[in-house]
Amino acid sequence: MKYNIKDADGNIVNTIKADAAFVEANFEHYELWTTPEPTAEEAARQWRDMELSVTDQAAQTPDWPNRDNILTYRAALRNWPSTSNFPDTRPTLGE
């Protein structure tokens, strides 16, 4: 397990991997480490990056079916974070 080791004021001073018995025996202030939930913006960027990755081959193959729409979609994905629609409205791939 991972634990956040804290000072007496509750500030995290270290994160360690150890079993519970070791942490309890050696540290007075600690908490179980948890994975933070991504923000809406972080989740949107992860989705966008995945979409760009999935369409990489199509963008690099000149005779790929629907390639022009895919290139337009990729441009919209790259520009999306700078729009007022981010992260609420995802770009869509045209047919």
Side-chain angles (χ1 to χ4, degrees):
M1 303 296 272
K2 273 186 165 181
Y3 291 88
N4 289 327
I5 307 305
K6 297 181 168 190
D7 63 17
D9 295 326
N11 301 309
I12 297 172
V13 294
N14 200 358
T15 300
I16 64 169
K17 239 180 167 179
D19 63 34
F22 175 84
V23 173
E24 290 171 9
N26 291 285
F27 300 100
E28 186 176 346
H29 306 286
Y30 61 89
E31 68 184 5
L32 188 61
W33 181 85
T34 57
T35 305
E37 288 293 320
T39 65
E41 289 83 7
E42 291 168 336
R45 286 179 191 277
Q46 289 171 355
W47 173 83
R48 181 202 61 171
D49 293 348
M50 181 192 64
E51 288 294 298
L52 286 168
S53 178
V54 167
T55 58
D56 274 347
Q57 184 176 2
Q60 297 171 13
T61 307
D63 61 346
W64 193 276
N66 202 25
R67 182 173 183 264
D68 290 340
N69 287 342
I70 291 169
L71 293 175
T72 301
Y73 176 57
R74 289 172 58 84
L77 288 169
R78 286 190 302 273
N79 295 332
W80 183 40
S82 65
T83 68
S84 61
N85 296 340
F86 185 78
D88 300 322
T89 306
R90 293 179 174 180
T92 57
L93 176 61
E95 294 300 321

